[in-house]
Amino acid sequence: MTTPVSTRLYFYPPGGALAADVSVSVLPHVLRLRGVRHHSFRHMAFSTSQGAAVDAAGFTASYSQPSLLFTASYSQGAAVDAAGCSSVSFLSTSVSNSGGAGSCIAISGDSNTIRDSTVSGCAGAGVSVDGGDTETLRGSNSSVVGNYISNFSRLVRTYAPGVHFDGVGLHVGNNSVRHAPHSCMTGGGSNHVFEHNRLEHCVYECIDAGAFYVGRSWAQRGNVVRFNVFHTVRPTERLAQRSCSQNALYLDDQMSGYDVYGNTIVNATQGVLLGGGRRNRLH
C-alpha cells in the first residue's frame, strides 16, 4: 500500500508478525550481457529482480576470467538476461525470485551453457534459450543440462514454462522440471534433442495443455524427445471446464517431424496427443 503524498510503501506481514527477512526488488536485472563471448559464471547466486535475473545479448569479444562465489540481488527484471552471446556458461549457479513477465534466465546466441544450476521462484518462465539460424539450419550448440527448475510461472500462469526453447540445435537434457501450472517445456525450432529429463507435477491448473508442448509448424523438423520421465500430469485445482486434455506430450495443430521414443509416462490424465502433422514417429 502507498500513500499519494509520501509515496511510502507499507507492508503488512501475513499473520501480523515477520517470520523471515523481507526483500524488495529495485533493479530491472541483476546481470545483463550483450554480445559477450567466452565468459563463465560459477557458484554464483542471482536473486530478487522484477525481470530476468540474468539478461545476455550483443557486445563482441569480451574475454574474462571465470567469476566465482558471488551473490547479487534486488533487481526488477530478468535476473540473468544474455542476448547475442557466444560461449557463455552458467555453472552451478542459483537464480531465484525474478522474472517479471519474462524468464529468470534469458540467453540467446551460440555455444552457451546452463548446467548444474538451480532456478526457482520465477514470476514467468524459468529458463529461456535461443540460438542457431532457422534459415540455414545452422545449429546453436547451446545446452541446458543437469538443472533443477521448479516453482516458476508464479504470476504468468500460462505459457511461462520451466524451459522455453527456440532456434536450431539445442540440447536439453538431464533436467528436473517440476511444479508447473501449465507446461514444463514448450517452444519451437528444429534439430533439438530433449533427453533424460524428468517433468513432474505439470499442467495442474489448466486444460488443453501438455507437460511438453509444441505446435503449429510443418517446417520445424528433426526434433528428438527420448528417454524422459513424465510424472503426475493432471489437475489439482477445480477447473471451470471438465477436460481430459492434460497431456504428458502434446504435438498440437499439425506439428511435424518429431521423433518420440523411450519415454516413461506415469499418472497423466492423457499420455500423448498428436494433433495431426506429418512424419511424427512415436515408438
Side-chain angles (χ1 to χ4, degrees):
M1 181 181 75
T2 60
T3 63
V5 177
S6 67
T7 65
R8 289 182 177 179
L9 177 68
Y10 296 90
F11 171 66
Y12 294 94
L18 285 175
D21 293 337
V22 175
S23 300
V24 178
S25 59
V26 295
L27 297 173
H29 309 288
V30 175
L31 177 64
R32 192 167 191 256
L33 307 175
R34 291 295 180 267
V36 171
R37 299 180 182 178
H38 303 288
H39 201 117
S40 63
F41 300 85
R42 304 177 187 175
H43 306 291
M44 301 178 68
F46 303 91
S47 182
T48 321
S49 71
Q50 292 190 357
V54 178
D55 171 6
F59 297 116
T60 59
S62 174
Y63 298 94
S64 303
Q65 295 295 322
S67 303
L68 302 174
L69 299 174
F70 177 76
T71 300
S73 63
Y74 309 113
S75 78
Q76 294 183 353
V80 180
D81 183 356
C85 297
S86 176
S87 300
V88 171
S89 299
F90 294 92
L91 310 173
S92 300
T93 58
S94 171
V95 182
S96 63
N97 300 327
S98 305
S103 307
C104 271
I105 302 178
I107 187 166
S108 68
D110 296 335
S111 300
N112 299 311
T113 301
I114 303 170
R115 181 186 293 272
D116 298 332
S117 297
T118 301
V119 180
S120 65
C122 306
V127 172
S128 178
V129 60
D130 182 12
D133 189 312
T134 55
E135 292 186 1
T136 65
L137 294 181
R138 174 183 54 80
S140 69
N141 196 36
S142 292
S143 62
V144 180
V145 177
N147 304 287
Y148 182 85
I149 305 168
S150 67
N151 296 301
F152 44 89
S153 198
R154 293 175 64 192
L155 296 181
V156 184
R157 304 298 283 176
T158 59
Y159 298 100
V163 178
H164 183 272
F165 51 89
D166 208 349
V168 183
L170 302 175
H171 178 219
V172 181
N174 295 93
N175 301 287
S176 177
V177 186
R178 53 176 57 201
H179 299 298
H182 195 242
S183 297
C184 279
M185 291 186 181
T186 188
S190 302
N191 299 336
H192 303 319
V193 175
F194 306 90
E195 61 183 358
H196 301 289
N197 300 288
R198 184 177 181 91
L199 280 58
E200 190 167 4
H201 295 291
C202 313
V203 199
Y204 62 74
E205 203 173 270
C206 300
I207 63 171
D208 192 24
F212 183 94
Y213 177 88
V214 289
R216 290 170 294 284
S217 177
W218 283 356
Q220 296 177 2
R221 303 200 179 196
N223 297 293
V224 177
V225 182
R226 63 189 180 193
F227 310 130
N228 303 283
V229 175
F230 300 84
H231 199 296
T232 312
V233 185
R234 57 174 58 251
T236 60
E237 306 297 322
R238 185 176 180 180
L239 303 177
Q241 178 181 348
R242 289 184 178 272
S243 172
C244 64
S245 191
Q246 291 88 24
N247 310 280
L249 283 147
Y250 193 169
L251 275 59
D252 196 10
D253 290 341
Q254 306 298 313
M255 194 66 197
S256 300
Y258 264 77
D259 193 8
V260 180
Y261 63 92
N263 300 284
T264 301
I265 300 171
V266 180
N267 191 27
T269 306
Q270 185 162 277
V272 180
L273 178 55
L274 299 178
R278 300 291 185 269
R279 296 188 179 180
N280 292 310
R281 298 179 67 229
L282 177 63
H283 56 110

